mmCIF file of all heavy atoms in Angstrom:
data_model
loop_
_atom_site.group_PDB
_atom_site.id
_atom_site.type_symbol
_atom_site.label_atom_id
_atom_site.label_comp_id
_atom_site.label_asym_id
_atom_site.label_seq_id
_atom_site.Cartn_x
_atom_site.Cartn_y
_atom_site.Cartn_z
ATOM 1 N N ALA Y 1 -37.509 52.704 63.977
ATOM 2 C CA ALA Y 1 -38.059 53.883 63.333
ATOM 3 C C ALA Y 1 -39.065 54.519 64.288
ATOM 4 O O ALA Y 1 -39.761 53.814 65.035
ATOM 5 C CB ALA Y 1 -38.745 53.495 62.026
ATOM 6 N N ASP Y 2 -39.144 55.840 64.264
ATOM 7 C CA ASP Y 2 -40.062 56.527 65.170
ATOM 8 C C ASP Y 2 -41.501 56.042 64.994
ATOM 9 O O ASP Y 2 -42.255 55.976 65.963
ATOM 10 C CB ASP Y 2 -40.003 58.038 64.919
ATOM 11 C CG ASP Y 2 -38.715 58.659 65.441
ATOM 12 O OD1 ASP Y 2 -38.022 58.021 66.260
ATOM 13 O OD2 ASP Y 2 -38.389 59.787 65.024
ATOM 14 N N SER Y 3 -41.851 55.701 63.778
ATOM 15 C CA SER Y 3 -43.231 55.320 63.487
ATOM 16 C C SER Y 3 -43.643 53.993 64.115
ATOM 17 O O SER Y 3 -44.840 53.694 64.202
ATOM 18 C CB SER Y 3 -43.441 55.247 61.976
ATOM 19 O OG SER Y 3 -42.547 54.312 61.396
ATOM 20 N N VAL Y 4 -42.672 53.191 64.564
ATOM 21 C CA VAL Y 4 -43.015 51.880 65.131
ATOM 22 C C VAL Y 4 -42.596 51.733 66.587
ATOM 23 O O VAL Y 4 -42.877 50.702 67.209
ATOM 24 C CB VAL Y 4 -42.406 50.729 64.301
ATOM 25 C CG1 VAL Y 4 -42.780 50.861 62.828
ATOM 26 C CG2 VAL Y 4 -40.898 50.644 64.475
ATOM 27 N N LYS Y 5 -41.932 52.741 67.135
ATOM 28 C CA LYS Y 5 -41.482 52.653 68.528
ATOM 29 C C LYS Y 5 -42.659 52.406 69.456
ATOM 30 O O LYS Y 5 -43.703 53.051 69.341
ATOM 31 C CB LYS Y 5 -40.765 53.941 68.930
ATOM 32 C CG LYS Y 5 -39.333 54.019 68.453
ATOM 33 C CD LYS Y 5 -38.678 55.320 68.884
ATOM 34 C CE LYS Y 5 -37.265 55.419 68.345
ATOM 35 N NZ LYS Y 5 -36.632 56.713 68.669
ATOM 36 N N GLY Y 6 -42.472 51.463 70.373
ATOM 37 C CA GLY Y 6 -43.523 51.130 71.323
ATOM 38 C C GLY Y 6 -44.525 50.120 70.797
ATOM 39 O O GLY Y 6 -45.345 49.610 71.558
ATOM 40 N N ARG Y 7 -44.457 49.822 69.500
ATOM 41 C CA ARG Y 7 -45.389 48.853 68.913
ATOM 42 C C ARG Y 7 -44.678 47.619 68.375
ATOM 43 O O ARG Y 7 -45.225 46.511 68.441
ATOM 44 C CB ARG Y 7 -46.182 49.509 67.773
ATOM 45 C CG ARG Y 7 -46.999 50.701 68.187
ATOM 46 C CD ARG Y 7 -47.911 51.177 67.060
ATOM 47 N NE ARG Y 7 -47.184 51.623 65.876
ATOM 48 C CZ ARG Y 7 -47.338 51.105 64.658
ATOM 49 N NH1 ARG Y 7 -48.196 50.121 64.459
ATOM 50 N NH2 ARG Y 7 -46.644 51.581 63.635
ATOM 51 N N PHE Y 8 -43.486 47.799 67.839
ATOM 52 C CA PHE Y 8 -42.733 46.691 67.244
ATOM 53 C C PHE Y 8 -41.535 46.352 68.135
ATOM 54 O O PHE Y 8 -40.935 47.244 68.754
ATOM 55 C CB PHE Y 8 -42.204 47.076 65.867
ATOM 56 C CG PHE Y 8 -43.255 47.234 64.793
ATOM 57 C CD1 PHE Y 8 -44.605 47.271 65.084
ATOM 58 C CD2 PHE Y 8 -42.871 47.345 63.464
ATOM 59 C CE1 PHE Y 8 -45.555 47.416 64.088
ATOM 60 C CE2 PHE Y 8 -43.797 47.501 62.454
ATOM 61 C CZ PHE Y 8 -45.147 47.543 62.777
ATOM 62 N N THR Y 9 -41.180 45.076 68.141
ATOM 63 C CA THR Y 9 -40.001 44.629 68.887
ATOM 64 C C THR Y 9 -39.199 43.665 68.033
ATOM 65 O O THR Y 9 -39.743 42.664 67.543
ATOM 66 C CB THR Y 9 -40.417 43.926 70.187
ATOM 67 O OG1 THR Y 9 -41.211 44.810 70.981
ATOM 68 C CG2 THR Y 9 -39.183 43.512 70.980
ATOM 69 N N ILE Y 10 -37.912 43.962 67.878
ATOM 70 C CA ILE Y 10 -37.010 43.055 67.172
ATOM 71 C C ILE Y 10 -36.281 42.202 68.199
ATOM 72 O O ILE Y 10 -35.913 42.679 69.271
ATOM 73 C CB ILE Y 10 -36.013 43.841 66.282
ATOM 74 C CG1 ILE Y 10 -35.201 42.885 65.401
ATOM 75 C CG2 ILE Y 10 -35.092 44.726 67.115
ATOM 76 C CD1 ILE Y 10 -34.363 43.595 64.344
ATOM 77 N N SER Y 11 -36.116 40.940 67.860
ATOM 78 C CA SER Y 11 -35.357 40.044 68.734
ATOM 79 C C SER Y 11 -34.602 39.047 67.868
ATOM 80 O O SER Y 11 -34.915 38.872 66.693
ATOM 81 C CB SER Y 11 -36.278 39.315 69.717
ATOM 82 O OG SER Y 11 -37.224 38.517 69.030
ATOM 83 N N ARG Y 12 -33.614 38.406 68.458
ATOM 84 C CA ARG Y 12 -32.802 37.463 67.709
ATOM 85 C C ARG Y 12 -32.475 36.268 68.596
ATOM 86 O O ARG Y 12 -32.379 36.398 69.818
ATOM 87 C CB ARG Y 12 -31.527 38.122 67.194
ATOM 88 C CG ARG Y 12 -30.624 38.652 68.299
ATOM 89 C CD ARG Y 12 -29.577 39.623 67.738
ATOM 90 N NE ARG Y 12 -28.565 38.959 66.936
ATOM 91 C CZ ARG Y 12 -27.698 39.605 66.169
ATOM 92 N NH1 ARG Y 12 -27.747 40.942 66.075
ATOM 93 N NH2 ARG Y 12 -26.790 38.940 65.466
ATOM 94 N N ASP Y 13 -32.302 35.126 67.961
ATOM 95 C CA ASP Y 13 -31.870 33.916 68.642
ATOM 96 C C ASP Y 13 -30.622 33.453 67.914
ATOM 97 O O ASP Y 13 -30.709 32.814 66.854
ATOM 98 C CB ASP Y 13 -32.978 32.862 68.597
ATOM 99 C CG ASP Y 13 -32.641 31.619 69.394
ATOM 100 O OD1 ASP Y 13 -31.428 31.346 69.586
ATOM 101 O OD2 ASP Y 13 -33.564 30.914 69.805
ATOM 102 N N ASN Y 14 -29.469 33.785 68.459
ATOM 103 C CA ASN Y 14 -28.207 33.459 67.782
ATOM 104 C C ASN Y 14 -27.962 31.956 67.691
ATOM 105 O O ASN Y 14 -27.299 31.483 66.779
ATOM 106 C CB ASN Y 14 -27.034 34.131 68.493
ATOM 107 C CG ASN Y 14 -27.037 35.635 68.305
ATOM 108 O OD1 ASN Y 14 -27.554 36.158 67.316
ATOM 109 N ND2 ASN Y 14 -26.473 36.345 69.268
ATOM 110 N N ALA Y 15 -28.506 31.197 68.629
ATOM 111 C CA ALA Y 15 -28.309 29.742 68.602
ATOM 112 C C ALA Y 15 -29.059 29.104 67.433
ATOM 113 O O ALA Y 15 -28.655 28.056 66.922
ATOM 114 C CB ALA Y 15 -28.777 29.139 69.917
ATOM 115 N N LYS Y 16 -30.152 29.751 67.028
ATOM 116 C CA LYS Y 16 -30.976 29.203 65.947
ATOM 117 C C LYS Y 16 -30.828 29.973 64.638
ATOM 118 O O LYS Y 16 -31.497 29.652 63.651
ATOM 119 C CB LYS Y 16 -32.455 29.206 66.366
ATOM 120 C CG LYS Y 16 -32.760 28.313 67.550
ATOM 121 C CD LYS Y 16 -34.243 28.348 67.887
ATOM 122 C CE LYS Y 16 -34.550 27.430 69.060
ATOM 123 N NZ LYS Y 16 -35.996 27.470 69.413
ATOM 124 N N ASN Y 17 -29.988 30.996 64.630
ATOM 125 C CA ASN Y 17 -29.840 31.848 63.442
ATOM 126 C C ASN Y 17 -31.194 32.422 63.001
ATOM 127 O O ASN Y 17 -31.548 32.375 61.810
ATOM 128 C CB ASN Y 17 -29.198 31.086 62.272
ATOM 129 C CG ASN Y 17 -27.699 31.006 62.389
ATOM 130 O OD1 ASN Y 17 -27.142 31.192 63.464
ATOM 131 N ND2 ASN Y 17 -27.023 30.719 61.296
ATOM 132 N N MET Y 18 -31.926 32.956 63.975
ATOM 133 C CA MET Y 18 -33.257 33.497 63.686
ATOM 134 C C MET Y 18 -33.338 34.940 64.170
ATOM 135 O O MET Y 18 -32.764 35.314 65.203
ATOM 136 C CB MET Y 18 -34.336 32.695 64.404
ATOM 137 C CG MET Y 18 -34.482 31.254 63.948
ATOM 138 S SD MET Y 18 -35.201 31.100 62.299
ATOM 139 C CE MET Y 18 -36.845 31.760 62.573
ATOM 140 N N VAL Y 19 -34.097 35.740 63.430
ATOM 141 C CA VAL Y 19 -34.421 37.081 63.878
ATOM 142 C C VAL Y 19 -35.925 37.265 63.697
ATOM 143 O O VAL Y 19 -36.508 36.740 62.743
ATOM 144 C CB VAL Y 19 -33.609 38.154 63.126
ATOM 145 C CG1 VAL Y 19 -33.857 38.115 61.633
ATOM 146 C CG2 VAL Y 19 -33.873 39.548 63.683
ATOM 147 N N TYR Y 20 -36.533 37.980 64.616
ATOM 148 C CA TYR Y 20 -37.978 38.118 64.657
ATOM 149 C C TYR Y 20 -38.373 39.596 64.702
ATOM 150 O O TYR Y 20 -37.617 40.447 65.170
ATOM 151 C CB TYR Y 20 -38.546 37.417 65.889
ATOM 152 C CG TYR Y 20 -38.126 35.987 66.039
ATOM 153 C CD1 TYR Y 20 -37.062 35.635 66.869
ATOM 154 C CD2 TYR Y 20 -38.789 34.970 65.355
ATOM 155 C CE1 TYR Y 20 -36.666 34.319 67.009
ATOM 156 C CE2 TYR Y 20 -38.399 33.648 65.490
ATOM 157 C CZ TYR Y 20 -37.340 33.324 66.320
ATOM 158 O OH TYR Y 20 -36.951 32.016 66.446
ATOM 159 N N LEU Y 21 -39.583 39.855 64.263
ATOM 160 C CA LEU Y 21 -40.167 41.176 64.435
ATOM 161 C C LEU Y 21 -41.596 40.985 64.944
ATOM 162 O O LEU Y 21 -42.456 40.498 64.200
ATOM 163 C CB LEU Y 21 -40.172 41.969 63.130
ATOM 164 C CG LEU Y 21 -40.668 43.411 63.257
ATOM 165 C CD1 LEU Y 21 -39.667 44.248 64.057
ATOM 166 C CD2 LEU Y 21 -40.903 44.046 61.881
ATOM 167 N N GLN Y 22 -41.802 41.303 66.208
ATOM 168 C CA GLN Y 22 -43.136 41.250 66.789
ATOM 169 C C GLN Y 22 -43.801 42.594 66.533
ATOM 170 O O GLN Y 22 -43.280 43.636 66.955
ATOM 171 C CB GLN Y 22 -43.061 40.967 68.286
ATOM 172 C CG GLN Y 22 -44.408 40.953 68.981
ATOM 173 C CD GLN Y 22 -45.290 39.804 68.534
ATOM 174 O OE1 GLN Y 22 -44.827 38.678 68.397
ATOM 175 N NE2 GLN Y 22 -46.566 40.082 68.295
ATOM 176 N N MET Y 23 -44.935 42.568 65.861
ATOM 177 C CA MET Y 23 -45.637 43.794 65.497
ATOM 178 C C MET Y 23 -46.995 43.806 66.175
ATOM 179 O O MET Y 23 -47.836 42.937 65.907
ATOM 180 C CB MET Y 23 -45.794 43.876 63.970
ATOM 181 C CG MET Y 23 -44.490 43.748 63.208
ATOM 182 S SD MET Y 23 -44.663 43.994 61.436
ATOM 183 C CE MET Y 23 -45.633 42.554 61.010
ATOM 184 N N ASN Y 24 -47.191 44.765 67.057
ATOM 185 C CA ASN Y 24 -48.454 44.915 67.779
ATOM 186 C C ASN Y 24 -49.125 46.229 67.389
ATOM 187 O O ASN Y 24 -48.486 47.120 66.840
ATOM 188 C CB ASN Y 24 -48.201 44.890 69.284
ATOM 189 C CG ASN Y 24 -47.610 43.579 69.755
ATOM 190 O OD1 ASN Y 24 -47.869 42.519 69.196
ATOM 191 N ND2 ASN Y 24 -46.795 43.652 70.805
ATOM 192 N N SER Y 25 -50.380 46.334 67.716
ATOM 193 C CA SER Y 25 -51.152 47.557 67.436
ATOM 194 C C SER Y 25 -50.951 48.015 65.993
ATOM 195 O O SER Y 25 -50.678 49.188 65.724
ATOM 196 C CB SER Y 25 -50.733 48.671 68.408
ATOM 197 O OG SER Y 25 -50.918 48.272 69.744
ATOM 198 N N LEU Y 26 -51.098 47.085 65.090
ATOM 199 C CA LEU Y 26 -50.834 47.383 63.683
ATOM 200 C C LEU Y 26 -51.837 48.381 63.128
ATOM 201 O O LEU Y 26 -53.027 48.397 63.512
ATOM 202 C CB LEU Y 26 -50.854 46.095 62.871
ATOM 203 C CG LEU Y 26 -49.575 45.274 62.980
ATOM 204 C CD1 LEU Y 26 -49.801 43.830 62.580
ATOM 205 C CD2 LEU Y 26 -48.461 45.893 62.148
ATOM 206 N N LYS Y 27 -51.336 49.217 62.223
ATOM 207 C CA LYS Y 27 -52.139 50.259 61.599
ATOM 208 C C LYS Y 27 -52.154 50.045 60.078
ATOM 209 O O LYS Y 27 -51.221 49.442 59.535
ATOM 210 C CB LYS Y 27 -51.521 51.630 61.886
ATOM 211 C CG LYS Y 27 -51.320 51.939 63.358
ATOM 212 C CD LYS Y 27 -50.589 53.257 63.531
ATOM 213 C CE LYS Y 27 -50.354 53.584 64.998
ATOM 214 N NZ LYS Y 27 -49.629 54.867 65.175
ATOM 215 N N PRO Y 28 -53.160 50.554 59.408
ATOM 216 C CA PRO Y 28 -53.183 50.422 57.934
ATOM 217 C C PRO Y 28 -51.913 50.960 57.278
ATOM 218 O O PRO Y 28 -51.464 50.411 56.266
ATOM 219 C CB PRO Y 28 -54.413 51.237 57.538
ATOM 220 C CG PRO Y 28 -55.324 51.129 58.721
ATOM 221 C CD PRO Y 28 -54.416 51.148 59.913
ATOM 222 N N GLU Y 29 -51.313 51.975 57.870
ATOM 223 C CA GLU Y 29 -50.100 52.547 57.280
ATOM 224 C C GLU Y 29 -48.868 51.667 57.481
ATOM 225 O O GLU Y 29 -47.782 52.003 56.991
ATOM 226 C CB GLU Y 29 -49.832 53.952 57.828
ATOM 227 C CG GLU Y 29 -49.850 54.069 59.333
ATOM 228 C CD GLU Y 29 -51.194 54.540 59.866
ATOM 229 O OE1 GLU Y 29 -52.245 54.068 59.363
ATOM 230 O OE2 GLU Y 29 -51.192 55.372 60.802
ATOM 231 N N ASP Y 30 -49.009 50.559 58.204
ATOM 232 C CA ASP Y 30 -47.932 49.586 58.301
ATOM 233 C C ASP Y 30 -47.941 48.615 57.120
ATOM 234 O O ASP Y 30 -47.033 47.784 56.991
ATOM 235 C CB ASP Y 30 -48.040 48.781 59.600
ATOM 236 C CG ASP Y 30 -47.830 49.637 60.836
ATOM 237 O OD1 ASP Y 30 -46.905 50.471 60.832
ATOM 238 O OD2 ASP Y 30 -48.585 49.455 61.813
ATOM 239 N N THR Y 31 -48.950 48.700 56.289
ATOM 240 C CA THR Y 31 -49.044 47.820 55.128
ATOM 241 C C THR Y 31 -47.868 48.048 54.197
ATOM 242 O O THR Y 31 -47.628 49.163 53.727
ATOM 243 C CB THR Y 31 -50.354 48.063 54.383
ATOM 244 O OG1 THR Y 31 -51.451 47.730 55.227
ATOM 245 C CG2 THR Y 31 -50.415 47.243 53.099
ATOM 246 N N ALA Y 32 -47.114 46.983 53.934
ATOM 247 C CA ALA Y 32 -45.898 47.078 53.130
ATOM 248 C C ALA Y 32 -45.330 45.678 52.932
ATOM 249 O O ALA Y 32 -45.817 44.716 53.531
ATOM 250 C CB ALA Y 32 -44.852 47.955 53.825
#
């Protein structure tokens, strides 16, 4: 989403069946 570009990163580990969301520079409007 445009609102998170450059701040959030999605990644996945197919061997472990895991998906991650690294969220940096969080803002109050990210509250959800």
Side-chain angles (χ1 to χ4, degrees):
D2 287 343
S3 58
V4 307
K5 280 180 183 176
R7 300 188 298 122
F8 291 11
T9 302
I10 188 171
S11 61
R12 61 196 289 168
D13 185 335
N14 290 333
K16 296 181 179 179
N17 279 19
M18 295 289 295
V19 60
Y20 307 97
L21 185 69
Q22 178 66 43
M23 305 185 293
N24 298 329
S25 302
L26 281 160
K27 304 175 181 180
E29 51 264 42
D30 294 317
T31 297

